[in-house]
Amino acid sequence: KSVRFLKSSNMIVSGGYDKLLKFWDARQPNPVAQIQLPERVYDMDTSDTLMVVACAGRHILTYNVQGQPQEHERKESPLKFQSRCVAAFPDNTGYAVGSIEGRVGIQYATKVPGKDSFAFKCHREGNNVYAVNHIAFHKGYGTFSTVGADGIVNFWDKDNKQRLKGFPAIHRTISCAQFNTQGNMFAYASSYDWSKGSSHHAPNTPNEIFVHHVQDDEIKPKGKKSGYR
């Protein structure tokens, strides 16, 4: 279901519906180690020494991957419904998890003075609630994006609890997105995410990739505000 690269050990890690994390040396055909998980992997992410894994049953596990992977914590998601995506903070202190109910949880894996875990609503319009399909962090500023089944991209600042930018809807589900290493380009992909089942699948709808040139004032923190807008 998900594949990531561990810079600290030069290893590849994969997680799937077999409820296993497998660690690979690219020079060998078989995994060099594996870890049993409590449930199927829905998503995972890494950032230097931190790896976070979101599983079915709302299980979330964090690992210290400096050297041999060591489990740091396992807990239940702070969100009430199924986890859809997860992303590690660039500074390794925590992660963001998104769910099918249009909500994101900001969780700290280590205690940071003046910072507390919280959750907020997003990707909603009136009574319509859409899945958060992907979360991506900007490596330079620590701000992040969410994309969803509503076809909208949002940029957020978790530290000041505010939305930095909302893109116009493209009227097709957005399945994934990512910033480049420099943070000046942002790519997002439109394809059906199956959030409404097979009855809403339109085979003739094109799968497309969009590239947005990020302006500094779109993604840079703007200062403190009270609550998300």
Side-chain angles (χ1 to χ4, degrees):
K1 182 66 172 66
S2 191
V3 178
R4 292 292 184 270
F5 179 69
L6 301 177
K7 294 181 181 179
S8 58
S9 58
N10 204 36
M11 301 285 287
I12 298 166
V13 57
S14 62
Y17 279 14
D18 57 359
K19 305 179 185 180
L20 292 172
L21 286 178
K22 294 186 178 183
F23 298 85
W24 307 81
D25 182 332
R27 297 166 297 183
Q28 300 180 28
N30 299 312
V32 297
Q34 65 182 37
I35 295 175
Q36 181 71 49
L37 298 170
E39 256 293 358
R40 295 157 291 159
V41 174
Y42 282 162
D43 196 21
M44 67 179 181
D45 195 26
T46 60
S47 178
D48 295 328
T49 60
L50 174 67
M51 178 171 66
V52 56
V53 184
C55 296
R58 297 171 54 231
H59 297 282
I60 297 182
L61 297 90
T62 53
Y63 295 86
N64 182 343
V65 289
Q66 181 79 42
Q68 183 175 350
Q70 298 290 328
E71 184 177 317
H72 171 71
E73 183 181 44
R74 64 172 63 195
K75 63 188 299 182
E76 189 176 76
S77 169
L79 309 180
K80 294 180 180 179
F81 293 90
Q82 177 183 302
S83 301
R84 188 79 161 185
C85 55
V86 70
F89 297 170
D91 64 1
N92 308 317
T93 60
Y95 56 89
V97 57
S99 75
I100 61 171
E101 57 149 347
R103 194 182 291 264
V104 169
I106 301 296
Q107 294 288 297
Y108 287 89
T110 59
K111 190 65 178 175
V112 178
K115 302 288 179 65
D116 294 310
S117 300
F118 64 95
F120 66 94
K121 298 175 183 178
C122 55
H123 297 280
R124 299 179 176 210
E125 184 180 4
N127 293 324
N128 296 319
V129 178
Y130 301 91
V132 181
N133 285 335
H134 200 268
I135 299 170
F137 276 89
H138 187 280
K139 298 297 188 291
Y141 292 124
T143 48
F144 66 98
S145 68
T146 61
V147 299
D150 56 353
I152 291 177
V153 174
N154 289 311
F155 289 169
W156 306 92
D157 177 0
K158 66 177 175 60
D159 295 327
N160 293 311
K161 297 184 178 180
Q162 61 178 299
R163 186 172 71 164
L164 299 172
K165 179 181 176 65
F167 288 55
I170 64 170
H171 305 295
R172 295 187 298 281
T173 56
I174 301 175
S175 53
C176 60
Q178 194 59 261
F179 292 97
N180 69 338
T181 301
Q182 293 76 23
N184 60 353
M185 297 181 71
F186 177 76
Y188 54 102
S190 167
S191 64
Y192 187 52
D193 62 0
W194 300 97
S195 58
K196 294 184 178 180
S198 60
S199 61
H200 284 76
H201 176 48
N204 294 327
T205 302
N207 298 320
E208 296 179 307
I209 296 175
F210 302 83
V211 178
H212 174 74
H213 291 271
V214 180
Q215 302 300 313
D216 209 46
D217 61 357
E218 295 177 331
I219 198 64
K220 184 178 180 180
K222 291 181 170 63
K224 290 188 176 181
K225 281 189 179 180
S226 58
Y228 275 83
R229 295 289 187 269

Short mmCIF file of all heavy atoms in Angstrom, two decimals, residues 6-63:
data_model
loop_
_atom_site.label_atom_id
_atom_site.label_comp_id
_atom_site.label_asym_id
_atom_site.label_seq_id
_atom_site.Cartn_x
_atom_site.Cartn_y
_atom_site.Cartn_z
N LEU A 6 14.25 5.17 3.89
CA LEU A 6 14.82 5.56 5.17
C LEU A 6 16.24 6.07 4.95
O LEU A 6 17.16 5.30 4.71
CB LEU A 6 14.83 4.36 6.13
CG LEU A 6 13.47 3.72 6.45
CD1 LEU A 6 13.66 2.50 7.34
CD2 LEU A 6 12.55 4.74 7.10
N LYS A 7 16.40 7.38 5.04
CA LYS A 7 17.71 7.99 4.80
C LYS A 7 18.74 7.54 5.83
O LYS A 7 19.92 7.38 5.52
CB LYS A 7 17.59 9.51 4.83
CG LYS A 7 16.76 10.11 3.71
CD LYS A 7 16.73 11.63 3.83
CE LYS A 7 15.87 12.25 2.73
NZ LYS A 7 15.81 13.73 2.84
N SER A 8 18.28 7.37 7.09
CA SER A 8 19.22 7.07 8.16
C SER A 8 19.91 5.72 7.99
O SER A 8 21.03 5.52 8.47
CB SER A 8 18.51 7.12 9.52
OG SER A 8 17.42 6.20 9.54
N SER A 9 19.26 4.78 7.31
CA SER A 9 19.83 3.44 7.15
C SER A 9 19.98 3.02 5.69
O SER A 9 20.43 1.92 5.40
CB SER A 9 18.95 2.40 7.86
OG SER A 9 17.62 2.43 7.35
N ASN A 10 19.58 3.90 4.77
CA ASN A 10 19.65 3.61 3.33
C ASN A 10 18.82 2.38 2.97
O ASN A 10 19.18 1.61 2.08
CB ASN A 10 21.11 3.41 2.90
CG ASN A 10 21.31 3.70 1.42
OD1 ASN A 10 20.69 4.60 0.86
ND2 ASN A 10 22.18 2.93 0.77
N MET A 11 17.69 2.23 3.65
CA MET A 11 16.81 1.10 3.43
C MET A 11 15.48 1.57 2.84
O MET A 11 15.09 2.73 2.97
CB MET A 11 16.53 0.37 4.75
CG MET A 11 17.77 -0.16 5.45
SD MET A 11 18.43 -1.63 4.66
CE MET A 11 17.20 -2.82 5.17
N ILE A 12 14.78 0.64 2.20
CA ILE A 12 13.43 0.88 1.71
C ILE A 12 12.47 0.14 2.63
O ILE A 12 12.74 -1.00 3.04
CB ILE A 12 13.28 0.38 0.26
CG1 ILE A 12 14.23 1.14 -0.67
CG2 ILE A 12 11.84 0.53 -0.22
CD1 ILE A 12 14.40 0.51 -2.03
N VAL A 13 11.35 0.78 2.99
CA VAL A 13 10.35 0.13 3.83
C VAL A 13 9.02 0.12 3.09
O VAL A 13 8.64 1.10 2.44
CB VAL A 13 10.22 0.83 5.20
CG1 VAL A 13 9.86 2.30 5.05
CG2 VAL A 13 9.20 0.13 6.09
N SER A 14 8.33 -1.01 3.15
CA SER A 14 7.02 -1.14 2.52
C SER A 14 6.01 -1.64 3.55
O SER A 14 6.35 -2.39 4.46
CB SER A 14 7.08 -2.10 1.32
OG SER A 14 7.44 -3.41 1.74
N GLY A 15 4.78 -1.19 3.38
CA GLY A 15 3.71 -1.65 4.27
C GLY A 15 2.48 -1.98 3.44
O GLY A 15 2.17 -1.27 2.48
N GLY A 16 1.77 -3.06 3.79
CA GLY A 16 0.65 -3.49 2.96
C GLY A 16 -0.50 -4.08 3.74
O GLY A 16 -0.54 -4.04 4.98
N TYR A 17 -1.43 -4.66 2.99
CA TYR A 17 -2.61 -5.28 3.59
C TYR A 17 -2.30 -6.61 4.25
O TYR A 17 -3.19 -7.23 4.84
CB TYR A 17 -3.68 -5.46 2.52
CG TYR A 17 -4.49 -4.20 2.23
CD1 TYR A 17 -4.08 -2.95 2.69
CD2 TYR A 17 -5.67 -4.27 1.51
CE1 TYR A 17 -4.81 -1.81 2.43
CE2 TYR A 17 -6.42 -3.13 1.24
CZ TYR A 17 -5.98 -1.91 1.71
OH TYR A 17 -6.72 -0.79 1.45
N ASP A 18 -1.05 -7.07 4.17
CA ASP A 18 -0.66 -8.29 4.88
C ASP A 18 -0.31 -8.02 6.34
O ASP A 18 0.16 -8.91 7.05
CB ASP A 18 0.51 -8.97 4.17
CG ASP A 18 1.74 -8.07 4.03
OD1 ASP A 18 1.67 -6.89 4.47
OD2 ASP A 18 2.75 -8.52 3.47
N LYS A 19 -0.49 -6.77 6.79
CA LYS A 19 -0.24 -6.36 8.17
C LYS A 19 1.24 -6.46 8.54
O LYS A 19 1.59 -6.73 9.69
CB LYS A 19 -1.08 -7.19 9.16
CG LYS A 19 -2.57 -7.17 8.89
CD LYS A 19 -3.33 -8.04 9.89
CE LYS A 19 -4.81 -8.13 9.54
NZ LYS A 19 -5.54 -8.98 10.51
N LEU A 20 2.10 -6.19 7.56
CA LEU A 20 3.54 -6.27 7.79
C LEU A 20 4.24 -5.01 7.28
O LEU A 20 3.86 -4.44 6.26
CB LEU A 20 4.14 -7.48 7.08
CG LEU A 20 3.77 -8.87 7.59
CD1 LEU A 20 4.31 -9.93 6.64
CD2 LEU A 20 4.30 -9.09 9.00
N LEU A 21 5.27 -4.59 8.03
CA LEU A 21 6.27 -3.67 7.52
C LEU A 21 7.47 -4.50 7.11
O LEU A 21 7.97 -5.31 7.89
CB LEU A 21 6.70 -2.67 8.60
CG LEU A 21 5.75 -1.55 9.00
CD1 LEU A 21 6.37 -0.72 10.12
CD2 LEU A 21 5.43 -0.67 7.79
N LYS A 22 7.92 -4.31 5.87
CA LYS A 22 9.08 -5.05 5.39
C LYS A 22 10.19 -4.08 5.02
O LYS A 22 9.93 -3.06 4.39
CB LYS A 22 8.70 -5.93 4.19
CG LYS A 22 7.73 -7.05 4.54
CD LYS A 22 7.48 -7.98 3.37
CE LYS A 22 6.55 -9.12 3.76
NZ LYS A 22 6.34 -10.08 2.64
N PHE A 23 11.41 -4.42 5.41
CA PHE A 23 12.57 -3.57 5.19
C PHE A 23 13.46 -4.22 4.14
O PHE A 23 13.78 -5.41 4.24
CB PHE A 23 13.31 -3.34 6.50
CG PHE A 23 12.48 -2.64 7.53
CD1 PHE A 23 11.62 -3.37 8.36
CD2 PHE A 23 12.53 -1.26 7.67
CE1 PHE A 23 10.83 -2.73 9.30
CE2 PHE A 23 11.75 -0.61 8.61
CZ PHE A 23 10.89 -1.34 9.43
N TRP A 24 13.87 -3.41 3.16
CA TRP A 24 14.56 -3.94 1.99
C TRP A 24 15.90 -3.27 1.78
O TRP A 24 16.01 -2.05 1.88
CB TRP A 24 13.70 -3.73 0.74
CG TRP A 24 12.31 -4.25 0.83
CD1 TRP A 24 11.23 -3.64 1.42
CD2 TRP A 24 11.82 -5.50 0.33
NE1 TRP A 24 10.11 -4.43 1.31
CE2 TRP A 24 10.44 -5.58 0.64
CE3 TRP A 24 12.41 -6.55 -0.37
CZ2 TRP A 24 9.64 -6.66 0.28
CZ3 TRP A 24 11.62 -7.64 -0.72
CH2 TRP A 24 10.26 -7.69 -0.39
N ASP A 25 16.90 -4.07 1.46
CA ASP A 25 18.16 -3.61 0.90
C ASP A 25 18.02 -3.75 -0.61
O ASP A 25 17.77 -4.85 -1.10
CB ASP A 25 19.31 -4.47 1.44
CG ASP A 25 20.68 -4.01 0.94
OD1 ASP A 25 20.76 -3.43 -0.16
OD2 ASP A 25 21.66 -4.24 1.66
N ALA A 26 18.14 -2.65 -1.34
CA ALA A 26 17.89 -2.66 -2.79
C ALA A 26 18.81 -3.62 -3.54
O ALA A 26 18.54 -3.95 -4.70
CB ALA A 26 18.02 -1.25 -3.35
N ARG A 27 19.85 -4.07 -2.90
CA ARG A 27 20.79 -5.00 -3.55
C ARG A 27 20.36 -6.45 -3.38
O ARG A 27 21.01 -7.35 -3.92
CB ARG A 27 22.19 -4.80 -2.97
CG ARG A 27 22.77 -3.40 -3.22
CD ARG A 27 23.97 -3.14 -2.35
NE ARG A 27 23.62 -3.16 -0.92
CZ ARG A 27 24.49 -2.90 0.06
NH1 ARG A 27 25.75 -2.62 -0.23
NH2 ARG A 27 24.09 -2.93 1.33
N GLN A 28 19.27 -6.69 -2.61
CA GLN A 28 18.84 -8.06 -2.34
C GLN A 28 17.38 -8.24 -2.74
O GLN A 28 16.58 -7.31 -2.65
CB GLN A 28 19.01 -8.38 -0.85
CG GLN A 28 20.44 -8.26 -0.34
CD GLN A 28 20.56 -8.58 1.14
OE1 GLN A 28 19.76 -9.36 1.66
NE2 GLN A 28 21.55 -8.00 1.80
N PRO A 29 17.01 -9.45 -3.16
CA PRO A 29 15.63 -9.69 -3.63
C PRO A 29 14.62 -9.93 -2.51
O PRO A 29 13.42 -9.86 -2.74
CB PRO A 29 15.78 -10.95 -4.49
CG PRO A 29 16.93 -11.68 -3.88
CD PRO A 29 17.88 -10.62 -3.41
N ASN A 30 15.10 -10.22 -1.30
CA ASN A 30 14.21 -10.53 -0.20
C ASN A 30 14.36 -9.51 0.93
O ASN A 30 15.43 -8.92 1.10
CB ASN A 30 14.52 -11.94 0.35
CG ASN A 30 14.30 -13.02 -0.69
OD1 ASN A 30 13.28 -13.04 -1.35
ND2 ASN A 30 15.29 -13.90 -0.85
N PRO A 31 13.30 -9.31 1.72
CA PRO A 31 13.41 -8.34 2.83
C PRO A 31 14.43 -8.80 3.86
O PRO A 31 14.57 -9.99 4.13
CB PRO A 31 11.99 -8.31 3.40
CG PRO A 31 11.36 -9.60 2.98
CD PRO A 31 11.96 -9.92 1.64
N VAL A 32 15.11 -7.83 4.47
CA VAL A 32 16.11 -8.15 5.48
C VAL A 32 15.50 -8.19 6.88
O VAL A 32 16.11 -8.72 7.81
CB VAL A 32 17.28 -7.14 5.44
CG1 VAL A 32 18.00 -7.22 4.11
CG2 VAL A 32 16.77 -5.71 5.69
N ALA A 33 14.29 -7.64 7.03
CA ALA A 33 13.60 -7.66 8.32
C ALA A 33 12.13 -7.34 8.09
O ALA A 33 11.76 -6.80 7.04
CB ALA A 33 14.22 -6.66 9.28
N GLN A 34 11.30 -7.67 9.06
CA GLN A 34 9.90 -7.32 8.97
C GLN A 34 9.32 -7.14 10.36
O GLN A 34 9.83 -7.69 11.35
CB GLN A 34 9.10 -8.34 8.17
CG GLN A 34 9.01 -9.72 8.78
CD GLN A 34 8.23 -10.68 7.88
OE1 GLN A 34 8.32 -10.62 6.66
NE2 GLN A 34 7.46 -11.56 8.49
N ILE A 35 8.24 -6.35 10.46
CA ILE A 35 7.57 -6.07 11.72
C ILE A 35 6.10 -6.37 11.55
O ILE A 35 5.46 -5.91 10.59
CB ILE A 35 7.77 -4.60 12.15
CG1 ILE A 35 9.25 -4.33 12.45
CG2 ILE A 35 6.91 -4.27 13.36
CD1 ILE A 35 9.54 -2.86 12.77
N GLN A 36 5.54 -7.13 12.49
CA GLN A 36 4.11 -7.43 12.49
C GLN A 36 3.34 -6.22 13.01
O GLN A 36 3.70 -5.62 14.01
CB GLN A 36 3.83 -8.65 13.37
CG GLN A 36 2.37 -9.05 13.43
CD GLN A 36 1.89 -9.67 12.13
OE1 GLN A 36 2.53 -10.56 11.57
NE2 GLN A 36 0.74 -9.19 11.62
N LEU A 37 2.26 -5.89 12.32
CA LEU A 37 1.41 -4.76 12.69
C LEU A 37 0.06 -5.26 13.18
O LEU A 37 -0.35 -6.39 12.88
CB LEU A 37 1.22 -3.82 11.49
CG LEU A 37 2.47 -3.16 10.94
CD1 LEU A 37 2.17 -2.45 9.63
CD2 LEU A 37 3.07 -2.19 11.96
N PRO A 38 -0.69 -4.42 13.91
CA PRO A 38 -1.99 -4.87 14.41
C PRO A 38 -3.06 -4.95 13.34
O PRO A 38 -4.06 -5.65 13.50
CB PRO A 38 -2.36 -3.79 15.45
CG PRO A 38 -1.60 -2.58 15.02
CD PRO A 38 -0.32 -3.11 14.45
N GLU A 39 -2.87 -4.23 12.23
CA GLU A 39 -3.88 -4.22 11.17
C GLU A 39 -3.24 -3.86 9.83
O GLU A 39 -2.04 -3.61 9.74
CB GLU A 39 -5.01 -3.22 11.50
CG GLU A 39 -6.30 -3.88 11.98
CD GLU A 39 -7.00 -4.70 10.89
OE1 GLU A 39 -6.50 -4.73 9.75
OE2 GLU A 39 -8.04 -5.30 11.18
N ARG A 40 -4.06 -3.80 8.77
CA ARG A 40 -3.59 -3.45 7.43
C ARG A 40 -3.07 -2.01 7.39
O ARG A 40 -3.58 -1.13 8.07
CB ARG A 40 -4.74 -3.58 6.43
CG ARG A 40 -5.26 -4.98 6.22
CD ARG A 40 -6.68 -4.96 5.71
NE ARG A 40 -7.60 -4.49 6.74
CZ ARG A 40 -8.81 -3.98 6.50
NH1 ARG A 40 -9.24 -3.85 5.26
NH2 ARG A 40 -9.58 -3.60 7.50
N VAL A 41 -2.07 -1.78 6.55
CA VAL A 41 -1.50 -0.44 6.39
C VAL A 41 -2.35 0.36 5.40
O VAL A 41 -2.60 -0.08 4.28
CB VAL A 41 -0.04 -0.51 5.89
CG1 VAL A 41 0.49 0.89 5.58
CG2 VAL A 41 0.84 -1.19 6.92
N TYR A 42 -2.79 1.54 5.83
CA TYR A 42 -3.49 2.46 4.94
C TYR A 42 -2.55 3.52 4.38
O TYR A 42 -2.69 3.96 3.25
CB TYR A 42 -4.65 3.13 5.67
CG TYR A 42 -5.89 2.26 5.82
CD1 TYR A 42 -6.86 2.57 6.76
CD2 TYR A 42 -6.08 1.12 5.03
CE1 TYR A 42 -8.00 1.79 6.89
CE2 TYR A 42 -7.20 0.33 5.16
CZ TYR A 42 -8.17 0.67 6.09
OH TYR A 42 -9.28 -0.11 6.22
N ASP A 43 -1.58 3.95 5.19
CA ASP A 43 -0.60 4.93 4.73
C ASP A 43 0.54 4.98 5.74
O ASP A 43 0.39 4.56 6.89
CB ASP A 43 -1.24 6.33 4.60
CG ASP A 43 -0.40 7.29 3.75
OD1 ASP A 43 0.45 6.80 2.96
OD2 ASP A 43 -0.57 8.51 3.89
N MET A 44 1.68 5.50 5.29
CA MET A 44 2.81 5.72 6.20
C MET A 44 3.71 6.80 5.63
O MET A 44 3.62 7.15 4.45
CB MET A 44 3.59 4.42 6.43
CG MET A 44 4.33 3.88 5.25
SD MET A 44 5.22 2.36 5.71
CE MET A 44 6.02 1.98 4.15
N ASP A 45 4.57 7.34 6.50
CA ASP A 45 5.48 8.39 6.07
C ASP A 45 6.73 8.35 6.95
O ASP A 45 6.70 7.80 8.06
CB ASP A 45 4.81 9.76 6.16
CG ASP A 45 5.57 10.84 5.40
OD1 ASP A 45 6.29 10.50 4.43
OD2 ASP A 45 5.45 12.03 5.77
N THR A 46 7.81 8.94 6.43
CA THR A 46 9.06 9.02 7.18
C THR A 46 9.63 10.42 7.07
O THR A 46 9.38 11.14 6.11
CB THR A 46 10.11 8.02 6.63
OG1 THR A 46 10.38 8.33 5.25
CG2 THR A 46 9.62 6.59 6.73
N SER A 47 10.39 10.80 8.10
CA SER A 47 11.12 12.07 8.08
C SER A 47 12.35 11.89 8.94
O SER A 47 12.27 11.93 10.17
CB SER A 47 10.24 13.21 8.63
OG SER A 47 10.96 14.42 8.66
N ASP A 48 13.48 11.66 8.30
CA ASP A 48 14.75 11.42 8.99
C ASP A 48 14.62 10.25 9.96
O ASP A 48 14.59 9.12 9.54
CB ASP A 48 15.22 12.69 9.69
CG ASP A 48 15.56 13.81 8.71
OD1 ASP A 48 16.02 13.49 7.60
OD2 ASP A 48 15.34 14.98 9.04
N THR A 49 14.49 10.52 11.27
CA THR A 49 14.49 9.44 12.27
C THR A 49 13.09 8.99 12.67
O THR A 49 12.95 8.05 13.45
CB THR A 49 15.24 9.90 13.53
OG1 THR A 49 14.57 11.05 14.09
CG2 THR A 49 16.68 10.26 13.20
N LEU A 50 12.04 9.64 12.15
CA LEU A 50 10.67 9.30 12.52
C LEU A 50 9.95 8.58 11.39
O LEU A 50 10.00 9.01 10.24
CB LEU A 50 9.88 10.57 12.88
CG LEU A 50 8.39 10.40 13.15
CD1 LEU A 50 8.15 9.59 14.42
CD2 LEU A 50 7.69 11.75 13.24
N MET A 51 9.26 7.48 11.72
CA MET A 51 8.36 6.82 10.79
C MET A 51 7.01 6.68 11.48
O MET A 51 6.94 6.28 12.64
CB MET A 51 8.89 5.45 10.38
CG MET A 51 7.95 4.69 9.43
SD MET A 51 8.68 3.18 8.74
CE MET A 51 8.84 2.17 10.21
N VAL A 52 5.95 7.02 10.76
CA VAL A 52 4.60 6.91 11.31
C VAL A 52 3.76 6.07 10.37
O VAL A 52 3.84 6.22 9.14
CB VAL A 52 3.97 8.30 11.56
CG1 VAL A 52 3.97 9.13 10.28
CG2 VAL A 52 2.56 8.18 12.11
N VAL A 53 2.98 5.14 10.93
CA VAL A 53 2.19 4.20 10.15
C VAL A 53 0.73 4.28 10.61
O VAL A 53 0.44 4.14 11.80
CB VAL A 53 2.70 2.75 10.33
CG1 VAL A 53 1.92 1.80 9.43
CG2 VAL A 53 4.19 2.66 10.04
N ALA A 54 -0.18 4.52 9.67
CA ALA A 54 -1.61 4.54 9.95
C ALA A 54 -2.22 3.24 9.43
O ALA A 54 -2.08 2.90 8.26
CB ALA A 54 -2.27 5.74 9.27
N CYS A 55 -2.90 2.52 10.33
CA CYS A 55 -3.46 1.21 9.99
C CYS A 55 -4.98 1.23 10.08
O CYS A 55 -5.59 2.16 10.62
CB CYS A 55 -2.92 0.16 10.94
SG CYS A 55 -1.14 -0.12 10.86
N ALA A 56 -5.59 0.18 9.55
CA ALA A 56 -7.02 -0.03 9.74
C ALA A 56 -7.32 -0.15 11.24
O ALA A 56 -6.43 -0.42 12.04
CB ALA A 56 -7.46 -1.30 9.02
N GLY A 57 -8.58 0.09 11.60
CA GLY A 57 -8.93 0.05 13.00
C GLY A 57 -8.46 1.27 13.77
O GLY A 57 -8.44 1.24 15.01
N ARG A 58 -8.04 2.32 13.04
CA ARG A 58 -7.60 3.59 13.62
C ARG A 58 -6.35 3.45 14.47
O ARG A 58 -6.06 4.27 15.32
CB ARG A 58 -8.74 4.23 14.43
CG ARG A 58 -9.96 4.59 13.59
CD ARG A 58 -11.16 5.03 14.40
NE ARG A 58 -10.83 6.11 15.29
CZ ARG A 58 -11.12 6.10 16.60
NH1 ARG A 58 -11.72 5.06 17.16
NH2 ARG A 58 -10.80 7.14 17.36
N HIS A 59 -5.55 2.41 14.20
CA HIS A 59 -4.26 2.26 14.87
C HIS A 59 -3.24 3.20 14.23
O HIS A 59 -3.16 3.29 13.00
CB HIS A 59 -3.74 0.82 14.75
CG HIS A 59 -4.60 -0.20 15.40
ND1 HIS A 59 -4.62 -0.43 16.76
CD2 HIS A 59 -5.50 -1.08 14.88
CE1 HIS A 59 -5.46 -1.39 17.05
NE2 HIS A 59 -6.02 -1.81 15.91
N ILE A 60 -2.44 3.87 15.05
CA ILE A 60 -1.31 4.67 14.56
C ILE A 60 -0.08 4.29 15.37
O ILE A 60 -0.10 4.29 16.60
CB ILE A 60 -1.58 6.17 14.67
CG1 ILE A 60 -2.78 6.56 13.79
CG2 ILE A 60 -0.35 6.97 14.26
CD1 ILE A 60 -3.10 8.03 13.78
N LEU A 61 1.00 3.96 14.65
CA LEU A 61 2.24 3.55 15.29
C LEU A 61 3.37 4.47 14.84
O LEU A 61 3.45 4.82 13.66
CB LEU A 61 2.59 2.10 14.95
CG LEU A 61 1.61 1.03 15.42
CD1 LEU A 61 0.55 0.75 14.35
CD2 LEU A 61 2.34 -0.27 15.75
N THR A 62 4.23 4.86 15.78
CA THR A 62 5.41 5.65 15.44
C THR A 62 6.66 4.85 15.81
O THR A 62 6.67 4.10 16.79
CB THR A 62 5.42 7.00 16.16
OG1 THR A 62 5.25 6.80 17.58
CG2 THR A 62 4.30 7.90 15.65
N TYR A 63 7.70 5.03 14.99
CA TYR A 63 8.95 4.32 15.17
C TYR A 63 10.13 5.28 15.10
O TYR A 63 10.10 6.26 14.35
CB TYR A 63 9.15 3.26 14.07
CG TYR A 63 8.14 2.14 14.10
CD1 TYR A 63 6.91 2.27 13.45
CD2 TYR A 63 8.41 0.95 14.76
CE1 TYR A 63 5.98 1.25 13.47
CE2 TYR A 63 7.48 -0.09 14.78
CZ TYR A 63 6.27 0.07 14.14
OH TYR A 63 5.34 -0.95 14.16
#
